[in-house]
Amino acid sequence: MEDLLAARLQMALSLGFHIIFACIGMTMPVLMAFSEWRWLRTNRQEYLDLAKAWSRGVALFFAVGAVSGTVLSFELGLLFPGFMRHAGAIIGMPFSWEGTAFFVEAIALGVFLYGWDRLNKWVHWASGVLVGISGVLSGIFVVSANAWMNSPSGFTWENGQAKNIDPVAAMFNDAWLSQALHMTLAAFVATAFAVAGVHAFLLLKNLGNVFHRTAVRMALSFGAVAALLQPLSGDFSAKDVAERQPAKLAALESHFKTSQPADLIIGGIPDSEKEEVHYAIHIPKALSFLAHGDFNAQVTGLDQFPKAERPPVLIVHLAFQFMVGIGFLLATAGLLFLLFNWRWKRYLARKGWLLFIACLTPLGFLAVEAGWIVTEVGRQPWIIYKVMKTKDAVSPMPGLHYSLYTIVAVYLLLTFMLAWLMQRQIATVEEFYPSARNSID
Amino acid sequence: MLLTIIAILGVAFILYTVLGGADYGAGIVETFAGKRGEKTISKALAPVWEANHVWLILAIVILFTGFPRVYATISTALHIPLMVVLIGIVLRGSFFTFRHYDIGEVGTHPYYTTIFKVSSFVTPFFLGITLGAMILGRVSLDATGTFYEQYIGPWLNGFCVAMGIFSTLLFGYIASIFLIGETVHSPERHRYIRFSKLFMVLTFGVGILVFVIAEFENHPVFAAFFSSWPSLVAFGGVVLLIPVVLYLINHPWVVYLRLAIGLQVALIMVGWFAIQYPVLVFERSGNHLTFYNTQAPEATLFQLLIALFVGLLLVVPCFFFLFKVFKPATDEHRVK
């Protein structure tokens, strides 16, 4: 295997693996703290039980998330030292803030997980809130560093060296806000729907179960709000990408030829050689509107870029369609939940509804993965957009594929172990939590 | 400004060695500590191990923000040992948590323990090797030479291996001392006291061996050591603390014992740092990477310093709170 490809695959795998744990780490503390707060206010057992049951799962995921995050901080250098040699001084700032936020998160989580019996209830609750806040903040800081790769700023590039470095301008680059917003919402959508899905699945076996019913309702409340906000944030991102990275926008929309107005292409298989899209649905003028807010705006196509500077269209387009499709499906589910919860509560207990929610379990995370493929593959061949190519940043060490194989093996083992352990945790819920044995109806 | 950052980097490094070291070392000690030891260790580490390891992330972030060329050089030339360290960190943390959280006794329990223990040995060993390679001066970035000369020779040699063994023993020593205060069970406590003495002797012996082997590998550390008064003072302090530790070991003043060992480790690091300063990585070509020739521009260092200051203001109180809750100075809560 070519070293560049091996390095890219290893980075993609490591990020793709870590991002799931990062999403859980951002969302679950908020859910746990919310549940504990409900318990403190209502004194109902199921809220306390849920906070405790979730915290056991989170301890497992957080551990793997912490160590896989450590791996990433090293891999930036192990795989792409050419990138870090120049970028370190420019985007180190969000990383150092991220380090701080993660530090607070790790400490607060230790207090939260092991302090149930040792602390005042409200102090304990506050530690949970602190985990949530620092988790979200550390996510935002990391995304800001990634946004810089898409929208490099805060330096001038002279003869292959970064000069006039301004770390603050680099951190608050043009892409950070739209990306951070989109990623944070995505973390909440994916995690909340996954939690709701697992509990809905368990509820199907025992329809009146108070523990699982409460869990589904709470998780869906968070998921629904986030899922309904996500299309707005997506639109904001698309307009942003259209301005800053027209090649990425063109690739994700399979928009080969510059046109005015431009059709929106939904679905289909793009053919980069012939520069056309097969089997797609065309919506006239819609892309002009989505990209620039004007039905008659011109949208730059891939034809404006030399072939060597175009991202791989097929992967980016399919990943994008997949992400958007899931996004709309989850937003619809969220809307239905809010409607049912408002007027037609009886539907929420129906088997069909629970089955639907159970089927959604993995989809949010699949959309997150697809979204990362869009943003990372969509930037290729650049590692720092229009400044440095990925192939110029890769480690000179030959045989990088051995690193890749090792990481694949380790992460497969961890995935298998986590699945097995979670299944064991879930199987013993009734044994440990009183409310999981209670059933109404 | 640069000096403050260097100081914080040094502190992060020392804290990682002490706290992370106690963490790794606990896995090493567990190998000899029996079933009861496993329980004690599991309980002692669970709330703090993640926070202990963040010091490493802090050191790495300071390195790649403040001294990006050093980070890029180490991660290129020492790719292989660092990869082993990473795999070790991942498996160790994960399987420790798996063991702690898995419900009930199942057949998998010995596997968790085995992976946890093996990675507790392997990770510090390769951390020591990496550090040794930075000191020894065979790292080279001009891409001439075979794969072996470029990517293996710099770290696979007597000196680096001795450094690996030294780190492993040192961590075992720190952990044995740390565990004395984690149990009230008398035979178990005495076992850790025995371990502490044994590891102390071994660490000291291998520490001297490291110097001797360095001479054989044409890396004259002795001369540098005797010509640097701060390192003479620091290592003098290390030796003077030995009887203090041996005295405190048999008394119930856990906090003082821990402070003494922490100070001892800090002095070892300071002594080594004084020999090394201001070089971070010795290069084969003689163009050593120092704090001064690799530092990031002023603007970056300034922002880094702000982040570190605010960070420490937030982290230090949280850290004290964590240890106050879970590692109280009295044995009271552990008795029940």
Side-chain angles (χ1 to χ4, degrees):
Chain A
M1 191 187 289
E2 196 195 340
D3 282 325
L4 174 61
L5 182 64
R8 283 183 56 198
L9 282 176
Q10 186 178 335
M11 202 71 205
L13 177 77
S14 306
L15 262 169
F17 185 81
H18 179 70
I19 201 169
I20 292 180
F21 300 91
C23 286
I24 293 171
M26 283 161 87
T27 312
M28 283 315 288
V30 176
L31 278 177
M32 293 187 307
F34 182 75
S35 191
E36 193 184 6
W37 178 71
R38 297 290 297 152
W39 170 65
L40 289 166
R41 298 301 300 271
T42 64
N43 211 18
R44 289 180 40 183
Q45 184 68 31
E46 62 267 27
Y47 289 119
L48 175 64
D49 284 351
L50 273 172
K52 283 193 172 176
W54 282 341
S55 73
R56 287 186 72 87
V58 167
L60 285 169
F61 280 99
F62 194 84
V64 178
V67 289
S68 60
T70 311
V71 170
L72 281 175
S73 69
F74 277 92
E75 271 181 351
L76 288 170
L78 291 174
L79 300 172
F80 298 102
F83 167 70
M84 285 311 283
R85 179 189 294 264
H86 298 287
I90 311 173
I91 52 160
M93 188 181 155
F95 279 115
S96 32
W97 284 108
E98 191 268 346
T100 300
F102 178 68
F103 215 144
V104 173
E105 191 184 357
I107 295 172
L109 189 81
V111 172
F112 185 84
L113 292 179
Y114 299 93
W116 284 101
D117 309 322
R118 291 190 186 174
L119 296 168
N120 169 292
K121 285 175 191 172
W122 286 98
V123 174
H124 182 262
W125 175 75
S127 74
V129 173
L130 192 59
V131 183
I133 293 172
S134 45
V136 170
L137 282 179
S138 64
I140 290 174
F141 288 128
V142 167
V143 171
S144 154
N146 175 266
W148 177 83
M149 295 160 74
N150 289 319
S151 175
S153 53
F155 66 101
T156 53
W157 192 248
E158 292 160 21
N159 306 321
Q161 293 292 332
K163 294 275 158 61
N164 305 318
I165 290 173
D166 178 355
V168 182
M171 181 163 152
F172 297 104
N173 56 73
D174 292 338
W176 87 272
L177 185 60
S178 66
Q179 274 195 238
L181 202 61
H182 203 58
M183 183 68 242
T184 309
L185 284 171
F188 275 82
V189 178
T191 313
F193 271 95
V195 170
V198 170
H199 285 282
F201 177 75
L202 296 165
L203 196 51
L204 275 170
K205 294 184 193 164
N206 179 4
L207 279 177
N209 189 300
V210 180
F211 179 82
H212 294 308
R213 274 171 64 147
T214 313
V216 173
R217 202 184 63 233
M218 256 194 303
L220 276 184
S221 308
F222 277 88
V225 174
L228 286 169
L229 290 173
Q230 189 65 312
L232 299 176
S233 134
D235 182 57
F236 177 37
S237 290
K239 291 193 164 55
D240 196 37
V241 170
E243 286 300 317
R244 287 182 299 94
Q245 291 178 279
K248 183 190 270 183
L249 184 91
L252 60 87
E253 301 284 8
S254 289
H255 185 59
F256 285 104
K257 293 186 181 58
T258 306
S259 51
Q260 182 183 12
D263 295 357
L264 178 67
I265 297 172
I266 295 180
I269 312 278
D271 180 339
S272 310
E273 287 302 309
K274 292 187 186 149
E275 307 204 343
E276 54 194 35
V277 190
H278 306 293
Y279 320 113
I281 304 166
H282 290 251
I283 302 177
K285 296 191 178 183
L287 183 58
S288 296
F289 180 71
L290 286 176
H292 299 294
D294 171 1
F295 282 106
N296 291 309
Q298 174 177 309
V299 180
T300 311
L302 284 164
D303 55 2
Q304 299 294 310
F305 303 91
K307 286 221 160 165
E309 291 184 11
R310 294 182 194 175
V313 182
L314 181 67
I315 299 175
V316 179
H317 179 70
L318 291 182
F320 180 69
Q321 302 288 314
F322 185 70
M323 174 188 78
V324 173
I326 292 177
F328 276 104
L329 177 63
L330 296 181
T332 312
L335 190 64
L336 279 175
F337 168 75
L338 293 179
L339 279 175
F340 290 165
N341 200 38
W342 178 46
R343 275 292 155 85
W344 301 281
K345 279 216 164 61
R346 61 180 187 282
Y347 287 118
L348 292 178
R350 291 271 169 90
K351 278 203 166 178
W353 168 254
L354 293 174
L355 193 62
F356 172 58
I357 295 298
C359 290
L360 299 178
T361 305
L363 291 188
F365 284 114
L366 292 176
V368 167
E369 299 289 356
W372 271 95
I373 291 174
V374 172
T375 192
E376 290 300 284
V377 181
R379 193 189 53 243
Q380 301 305 321
W382 305 101
I383 192 165
I384 308 173
Y385 187 58
K386 294 222 164 151
V387 174
M388 182 189 285
K389 291 209 166 143
T390 314
K391 67 177 165 62
D392 300 324
V394 73
S395 169
M397 191 181 95
L400 287 177
H401 52 282
Y402 293 108
S403 287
L404 170 66
Y405 300 152
T406 321
I407 285 284
V408 169
V410 171
Y411 282 2
L412 274 179
L413 174 70
L414 291 184
T415 309
F416 170 77
M417 287 302 304
L418 274 171
W420 187 75
L421 284 162
M422 283 313 286
Q423 169 259 318
R424 277 168 62 76
Q425 294 277 340
I426 290 166
T428 53
V429 155
E430 290 184 15
E431 197 180 314
F432 286 96
Y433 304 105
S435 67
R437 294 191 290 271
N438 292 347
S439 189
I440 50 170
D441 293 339
Chain B
M1 193 158 63
L2 182 65
L3 286 178
T4 320
I5 289 175
I6 294 173
I8 297 176
L9 180 66
V11 170
F13 212 67
I14 289 171
L15 283 173
Y16 183 61
T17 311
V18 176
L19 298 170
D23 209 281
Y24 287 116
I28 296 168
V29 171
E30 198 191 292
T31 312
F32 315 103
K35 198 76 191 161
R36 184 184 273 273
E38 186 188 311
K39 281 218 176 75
T40 309
I41 287 162
S42 209
K43 193 156 161 271
L45 292 195
V48 291
W49 75 268
E50 271 154 342
N52 285 344
H53 279 275
V54 187
W55 295 108
L56 174 66
I57 299 184
L58 183 67
I60 286 296
V61 168
I62 296 177
L63 212 54
F64 75 53
T65 309
F67 313 96
R69 249 177 72 207
V70 173
Y71 174 79
T73 305
I74 299 171
S75 53
T76 308
L78 304 175
H79 184 109
I80 297 169
L82 281 174
M83 234 8 238
V84 179
V85 167
L86 282 185
I87 306 284
I89 289 177
V90 167
L91 290 179
R92 190 177 176 281
S94 305
F95 280 81
F96 174 76
T97 313
F98 293 168
R99 180 175 79 175
H100 193 75
Y101 273 93
D102 197 5
I103 290 160
E105 284 285 322
V106 270
T108 42
H109 195 87
Y111 296 106
Y112 301 146
T113 301
T114 308
I115 293 183
F116 169 64
K117 282 179 193 165
V118 170
S119 47
S120 293
F121 276 96
V122 170
T123 317
F125 180 66
F126 276 88
L127 273 173
I129 279 190
T130 308
L131 208 58
M134 289 167 68
I135 302 171
L136 187 61
R138 294 191 186 162
V139 167
S140 167
L141 273 193
D142 47 356
T144 52
T146 60
F147 184 85
Y148 182 86
E149 284 164 0
Q150 284 271 13
Y151 299 105
I152 295 179
W155 57 269
L156 190 63
N157 49 58
F159 176 72
C160 294
V161 170
M163 279 290 286
I165 297 172
F166 177 74
S167 318
T168 315
L169 290 170
L170 180 69
F171 288 2
Y173 171 50
I174 301 170
S176 309
I177 296 270
F178 162 73
L179 286 167
I180 293 174
E182 289 296 314
T183 177
V184 285
H185 181 66
S186 183
E188 194 189 357
R189 200 183 163 101
H190 281 287
R191 186 182 297 150
Y192 297 137
I193 291 177
R194 245 184 10 256
F195 287 166
S196 301
K197 290 176 183 165
L198 184 66
F199 273 117
M200 181 194 263
V201 173
L202 288 173
T203 311
F204 199 77
V206 174
I208 292 170
L209 201 65
V210 167
F211 277 83
V212 176
I213 292 178
E215 297 293 321
F216 279 107
E217 297 276 357
N218 294 319
H219 185 67
V221 187
F222 267 123
F225 172 60
F226 283 112
S227 62
S228 153
W229 67 263
S231 40
L232 279 173
V233 172
F235 283 118
V238 174
V239 176
L240 286 178
L241 275 167
I242 291 176
V244 178
V245 170
L246 286 175
Y247 175 76
L248 288 170
I249 229 170
N250 289 313
H251 292 78
W253 307 318
V254 173
V255 179
Y256 298 113
L257 178 61
R258 286 181 182 175
L259 283 177
I261 177 93
L263 187 62
Q264 212 174 18
V265 174
L267 284 173
I268 294 177
M269 312 289 287
V270 169
W272 162 70
F273 193 70
I275 300 178
Q276 181 103 353
Y277 188 83
V279 179
L280 273 159
V281 181
F282 287 96
E283 271 224 48
R284 187 162 50 197
S285 60
N287 299 323
H288 307 317
L289 302 181
T290 70
F291 288 111
Y292 298 97
N293 65 22
T294 62
Q295 59 170 306
E298 288 282 295
T300 304
L301 293 180
F302 181 65
Q303 293 299 332
L304 176 64
L305 200 59
I306 294 179
L308 288 172
F309 252 84
V310 176
L312 289 176
L313 277 180
L314 288 171
V315 165
V316 170
C318 292
F319 215 79
F320 272 105
F321 183 71
L322 179 76
F323 276 77
K324 194 169 127 29
V325 174
F326 296 105
K327 305 275 166 250
T330 62
D331 281 342
E332 181 195 339
H333 82 282
R334 280 190 294 269
V335 177
K336 43 178 192 197

